[in-house]
């Protein structure tokens, strides 16, 4: 065996690793959706904005300081969004809020590039660039694994664990879940809706920052970061909008499916199928299970 | 005093149900059409036709199509650009493969193709709705982008991927001056706007609106959701497909798949949000707004004596778009068309406030 198995494993591992990165962006989407019922199209723009802020601030100050300032910026952004967009639109239909986040996405996008410029910036946060060859003894030629991806995967895992703890164990987390269940009921027992929203959007901003750091150091900080975030949409669709594990598993499935299909189907179909594969996969899946893998079943009433 | 309908009695059903029941509206619309067809071709400049009127008219047509789907039937679509692309490439292939076919037939047939693709991608709407569907329509967008860029048959094996439309020859007459192109597009848009207006106020339009407002309730009162949703997808993509064919043949002349990417879809969605969801007039107003705004934003800094780089201007442009979307959704969710209606209400009472 060996010579056949190793490239195959490489494709699988590569797919799973990029899947982890997709789920990182998807996580931001799920968080906001869970706590406010808003499908946040601006998550991609937030990733770009966070990465751009960090990379430009790092030109002027040390990393830790730049990181702190960026976090402050993301929290301020969350507060502004809550104040200027969500509060006036409270109790509107989901689809109206969705379109509002489209506007927010455009605004943040333009703002970020107006303030920070629109060149391609390289981001160095000390991630190892060299790929590593593993299992050389087991397989002929070994398996090539990018260490950057491994670190990203570990970071993502830590993040998910932290979020799960935050949701399950702290009182703020409990309040968040209560709001997710029922806005009005949560409000009537004295949970401040506005504050919860600011917290959720801030957390989503932080998730965007982590995703931005990882993606940014991989691809360079540039406009296309936003398009990477478009990949997160089929991930949440597949996993179900309301489920954090769904975002992770959906990301893994999409990442894996994408790589495998690109390698094994791509040549026959003409290549470049990565662009739509995830969407079509999610679409076909939806036809059979409209609420996603782990989503909640919807019951319609008149 | 001008806009007063007192004394206009309707004694037949026909007169009560006509398109513009108020005399002033009729006079205004007819005057406007006479001006657009009879006066405009003589006074317009080439720049006005090429850069403003032709794109405005074609995008209005596409916006009407999208408005039927989103505004009237409530099915959010982010795949409009793809359906425009289907129309454009269908028209291109028909025109070069069946050279004897009249171009008007070509345009209509390309609408039919687009309509078929629209129904295909509309099938998920039977099971999913809201933002699930919005993301599902993105699948159409990305898949069709890829299809036209990669499958050489569609571009007639062009090496660069870009294609050029054949000359606009209809009934032996070549439409090549800006005025002629404008008149051609105007004629198309007028006919289609009339069709759309009549469809939306008839039984089928009612069933779309019932589905939009609450699909479960609509089903309970006997509207078949499948027929309503799929017909909305079909009619909408027909309009969008024809608009795509016109955009490619009349406005662009030669184009590549990028001309119909996801940004075009967003642009059209913004048009109908700003113009007014569920309004034919709103589609026109929104298209006008979105076509003219970038021109204004480009001129404004220069007029004020501030010099900005083109890059800066384009960033500011998307910022302004984003902000406008949010402002419109908050302040006037029914868009410019609603402002117009409010204006008419005020005129009806003018000069007395009560």
């Amino acid at each position: 065996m060996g010579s056949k198995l190793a490239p195959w494993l490489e494709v699988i591992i590569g797919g799973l690793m990029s899947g982890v990165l997709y789920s990182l962006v998807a996580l931001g989407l799920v968080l906001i959706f869970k706590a406010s019922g808003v499908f946040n199209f601006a998550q991609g723009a937030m990733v770009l904005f966070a990465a751009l802020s960090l990379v430009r601030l790092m030109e002027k100050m040390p990393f830790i300081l730049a990181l702190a300032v960026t976090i402050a910026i993301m929290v301020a952004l969350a507060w502004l969004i809550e104040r200027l967009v969500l509060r006036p639109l409270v109790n509107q239909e989901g689809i109206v809020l969705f379109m509002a986040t489209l506007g927010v996405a455009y605004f943040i996008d333009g703002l970020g590039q107006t303030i920070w410029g629109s060149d391609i910036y390289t981001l160095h946060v000390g991630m190892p660039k060299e790929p590593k060859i593993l299992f050389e003894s087991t397989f002929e030629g070994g398996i090539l694994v990018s260490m950057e991806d491994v670190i990203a995967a570990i970071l993502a895992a830590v993040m998910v664990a932290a979020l799960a703890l935050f949701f399950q164990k702290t009182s703020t987390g409990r309040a968040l879940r209560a709001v997710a269940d029922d806005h009005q009921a949560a409000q009537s027992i004295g949970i401040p809706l506005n504050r919860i929203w600011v917290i959720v959007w801030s957390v989503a901003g932080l998730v965007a920052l982590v995703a931005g750091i990882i993606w940014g150091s991989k691809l360079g900080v540039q406009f296309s970061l936003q398009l990477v975030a478009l990949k997160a949409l089929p991930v949440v669709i597949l996993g179900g909008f309301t489920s954090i594990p769904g975002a992770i598993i959906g990301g893994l499935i999409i990442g894996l499916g994408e790589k495998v299909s690109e390698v094994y189907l791509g040549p026959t179909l003409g290549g470049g199928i990565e662009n739509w594969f995830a969407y079509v996969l999610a679409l076909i899946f939806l036809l059979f299970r409209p609420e996603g893998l782990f989503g909640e079943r919807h019951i319609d009433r008149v | 005093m001008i806009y007063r309908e007192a004394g206009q009695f309707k004694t037949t059903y026909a007169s009560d149900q006509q398109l513009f029941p108020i005399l002033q509206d009729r006079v205004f619309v007819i005057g406007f059409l006479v001006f657009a067809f009879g006066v405009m071709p003589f006074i317009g400049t080439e720049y006005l036709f090429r850069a403003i009127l032709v794109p405005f008219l074609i995008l209005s047509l596409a916006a009407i199509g999208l408005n039927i789907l989103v505004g009237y039937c409530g099915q959010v679509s982010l795949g409009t650009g793809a359906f425009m692309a289907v129309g454009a490439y269908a028209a291109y292939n028909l025109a070069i493969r069946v050279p004897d076919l009249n171009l008007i037939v070509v345009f209509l047939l390309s609408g039919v193709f687009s309509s078929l693709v629209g129904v295909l991608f509309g099938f998920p709407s039977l099971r999913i709705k809201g933002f699930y569907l919005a993301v599902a329509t993105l699948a159409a967008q990305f898949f069709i982008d890829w299809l036209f860029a990669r499958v050489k048959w569609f571009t007639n094996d062009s090496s660069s991927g870009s294609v050029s439309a054949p000359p606009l020859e209809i009934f032996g007459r070549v439409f090549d001056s800006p005025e002629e192109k404008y008149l051609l597009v105007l004629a198309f848009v007028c006919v289609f706007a009339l069709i759309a207006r009549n469809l939306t106020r008839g039984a089928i339009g009612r069933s779309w609106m019932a589905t939009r407002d609450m699909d479960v309730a609509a089903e309970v009162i006997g509207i078949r959701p499948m027929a309503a949703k799929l017909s909305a997808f079909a009619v909408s993509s027909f309009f969008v497909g024809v608009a795509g064919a016109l955009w490619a043949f009349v406005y662009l002349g030669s184009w590549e798949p990028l001309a119909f990417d996801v940004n075009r879809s967003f642009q059209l969605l913004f048009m109908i949000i700003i113009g007014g969801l569920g309004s034919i007039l709103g589609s026109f107003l929104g298209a006008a707004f979105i076509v003219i705004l970038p021109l204004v934003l480009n001129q404004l800094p220069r007029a004020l004596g501030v010099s900005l780089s083109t890059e800066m201007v384009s960033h500011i442009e998307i910022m302004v778009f984003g902000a406008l979307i949010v402002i419109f959704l908050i302040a006037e969710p029914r868009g410019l068309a609603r402002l117009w209606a409010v204006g008419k209400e005020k005129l009806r009472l003018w000069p007395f406030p009560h």
Side-chain angles (χ1 to χ4, degrees):
Chain A
M1 52 190 282
S3 66
K4 266 233 148 59
L5 199 60
W8 194 69
L9 274 177
E10 235 171 72
V11 170
I12 288 187
I13 291 175
L16 287 177
M17 291 300 175
S18 61
V20 170
L21 299 182
Y22 294 150
S23 28
L24 210 50
V25 184
L27 210 57
L29 279 169
V30 171
L31 277 177
I32 290 184
F33 189 81
K34 253 178 104 74
S36 58
V38 178
F39 177 57
N40 178 25
F41 197 84
Q43 189 67 24
M46 280 164 71
V47 171
L48 177 65
F49 188 80
L52 263 178
S53 312
L54 181 69
V55 84
R56 291 312 297 274
L57 286 169
M58 275 170 66
E59 290 169 8
K60 300 184 185 70
M61 49 184 89
F63 174 68
I64 294 298
L65 197 57
L67 191 67
V69 175
T70 310
I71 291 173
I73 290 176
M74 294 316 284
V75 173
L77 191 68
W79 186 77
L80 279 176
I81 290 174
E82 195 279 323
R83 209 60 218 230
L84 300 176
V85 182
L86 292 176
R87 201 176 296 187
L89 283 175
V90 72
N91 269 342
Q92 293 275 9
E93 279 173 65
I95 206 72
V96 173
L97 290 162
F98 166 66
M99 290 196 275
T101 64
L102 253 171
V104 172
Y106 266 62
F107 187 80
I108 295 178
D109 191 21
L111 182 72
Q113 296 189 60
T114 308
I115 299 176
W116 306 116
S118 54
D119 299 324
I120 299 175
Y121 305 96
T122 46
L123 179 63
H124 294 294
V125 287
M127 297 256 249
K129 290 275 172 203
E130 299 299 305
K132 229 191 178 112
I133 296 175
L134 299 175
F135 303 112
E136 249 177 310
S137 50
T138 332
F139 303 114
E140 190 183 323
I143 300 173
L144 210 61
V145 177
S146 151
M147 284 317 281
E148 210 174 19
D149 285 350
V150 174
I151 291 182
I154 294 169
L155 257 177
V158 169
M159 192 118 166
V160 171
L163 283 175
L165 277 178
F166 174 65
F167 267 94
Q168 297 298 333
K169 300 287 176 196
T170 65
S171 60
T172 315
R174 237 191 324 273
L176 285 176
R177 281 187 292 143
V179 172
D181 264 359
D182 190 336
H183 282 186
Q184 281 178 343
Q187 219 170 4
S188 67
I189 55 163
I191 294 172
L193 212 50
N194 295 329
R195 202 162 78 214
I196 294 294
W197 279 348
V198 174
I199 292 172
V200 173
W201 279 74
S202 305
V203 173
L206 299 185
V207 177
L209 177 61
V210 174
I213 291 173
I214 294 172
W215 278 113
S217 58
K218 214 171 142 82
L219 304 173
V221 177
Q222 53 174 324
F223 182 73
S224 68
L225 269 192
Q226 240 186 335
L227 306 178
V228 168
L230 276 180
K231 285 277 167 58
L233 298 182
V235 169
V236 283
I237 289 262
L238 196 67
F241 267 109
T242 44
S243 159
I244 288 182
I248 307 296
I249 293 172
L252 293 178
I253 293 175
I254 295 273
L256 186 65
E258 228 175 48
K259 280 282 174 310
V260 170
S261 65
E262 181 67 47
V263 172
Y264 294 100
L265 277 178
T268 39
L269 286 176
I273 62 172
E274 262 183 289
N275 285 335
W276 55 263
F277 179 80
Y279 279 93
V280 175
L281 185 72
L283 186 60
I284 293 168
F285 187 80
L286 277 185
L287 285 177
F288 296 101
R289 207 180 142 80
E291 65 275 4
L293 271 177
F294 299 97
E296 289 153 16
R297 204 164 245 298
H298 229 72
I299 299 165
D300 285 322
R301 283 194 195 88
V302 176
Chain B
M1 290 295 272
I2 317 158
Y3 200 82
R4 182 82 35 101
E5 51 185 306
Q8 298 179 25
F9 300 112
K10 277 126 199 142
T11 48
T12 58
Y13 281 119
S15 70
D16 196 34
Q17 289 176 346
Q18 60 183 322
L19 208 51
F20 298 102
I22 298 170
L23 179 69
Q24 287 90 335
D25 282 351
R26 276 199 300 280
V27 172
F28 180 75
V29 168
I30 291 169
F32 194 79
L33 285 177
V34 168
F35 177 78
F37 276 103
V39 183
M40 206 61 206
F42 299 106
I43 59 165
T45 60
E46 188 175 340
Y47 174 78
L48 186 67
F49 289 125
R50 272 191 205 286
I52 299 178
L53 287 177
V54 169
F56 154 65
L57 285 170
I58 302 176
L59 290 177
S60 304
L61 181 57
I64 291 174
L66 183 63
N67 219 336
I68 287 175
L69 189 62
V70 182
Y72 285 99
C73 197
Q75 313 291 311
V76 176
S77 163
L78 299 176
T80 331
F83 299 127
M84 276 181 88
V86 172
Y89 281 94
Y92 171 73
N93 279 300
L94 281 168
I96 57 160
R97 284 170 215 279
V98 196
D100 292 334
L101 209 59
N102 191 312
L103 263 192
I104 292 185
V105 181
V106 167
F107 288 153
L108 295 180
L109 276 180
S110 56
V112 173
F113 276 111
S114 173
S115 178
L116 292 176
V117 178
V119 170
L120 187 69
F121 280 98
F123 269 111
S125 72
L126 304 178
R127 298 220 47 185
I128 54 181
K129 48 191 167 191
F131 15 76
Y132 281 89
L133 185 64
V135 176
T137 54
L138 271 178
Q141 178 71 49
F142 290 125
F143 180 71
I144 287 170
D145 274 358
W146 172 86
L147 193 69
F148 290 133
R150 295 293 170 140
V151 180
K152 291 287 177 214
W153 188 84
F154 289 113
T155 52
N156 202 18
D157 296 312
S158 126
S159 53
S160 61
S162 70
V163 294
S164 297
L168 279 172
E169 193 188 325
I170 301 172
F171 300 122
R173 190 187 157 77
V174 181
F175 287 71
D176 52 2
S177 75
E179 299 92 59
E180 287 171 325
K181 286 182 174 176
Y182 159 75
L183 283 174
L184 176 73
V185 173
L186 182 65
F188 259 98
V189 173
C190 286
V191 172
F192 276 96
L194 190 66
I195 295 173
R197 182 79 184 94
N198 277 316
L199 274 178
T200 49
R201 66 200 196 118
I204 190 169
R206 290 281 150 207
S207 71
W208 291 340
M209 285 186 259
T211 310
R212 168 195 66 191
D213 290 340
M214 195 172 203
D215 52 354
V216 186
E219 204 175 340
V220 170
I221 61 167
I223 288 165
R224 284 176 301 155
M226 181 162 161
K229 286 178 181 174
L230 290 186
S231 63
F233 265 97
V235 173
S236 158
S237 3
F238 181 82
F239 276 61
V240 172
V242 172
L246 287 173
W247 185 256
F249 275 53
V250 182
Y251 179 66
L252 295 173
S254 65
W255 72 95
E256 49 190 15
L258 266 184
F260 303 101
D261 67 355
V262 67
N263 286 321
R264 178 75 57 214
S265 305
F266 287 140
Q267 193 190 28
L268 283 161
L269 191 63
F270 290 170
M271 279 181 196
I272 62 170
I273 297 175
I274 291 178
L277 289 166
S279 154
I280 301 293
L281 173 71
S283 313
F284 284 101
L285 296 176
F289 193 84
I290 300 264
V291 168
I292 292 169
L293 184 69
L295 300 174
V296 173
L297 285 178
N298 268 312
Q299 300 298 326
L300 201 60
R302 207 172 309 152
L304 292 174
V306 194
S307 70
L308 291 174
S309 65
T310 38
E311 211 175 299
M312 192 68 135
V313 171
S314 74
H315 296 330
I316 292 178
E317 192 185 309
I318 51 176
M319 254 170 86
V320 171
F321 273 142
L324 277 174
I325 296 297
V326 174
I327 290 169
F328 264 97
L329 283 172
I330 292 169
E332 187 50 88
R334 289 164 70 191
L336 292 169
R338 177 72 193 154
L339 292 180
W340 172 250
V342 169
K344 280 207 309 196
E345 277 310 305
K346 298 258 187 243
L347 270 180
R348 196 169 281 178
L349 300 174
W350 186 83
F352 308 109
H354 298 293

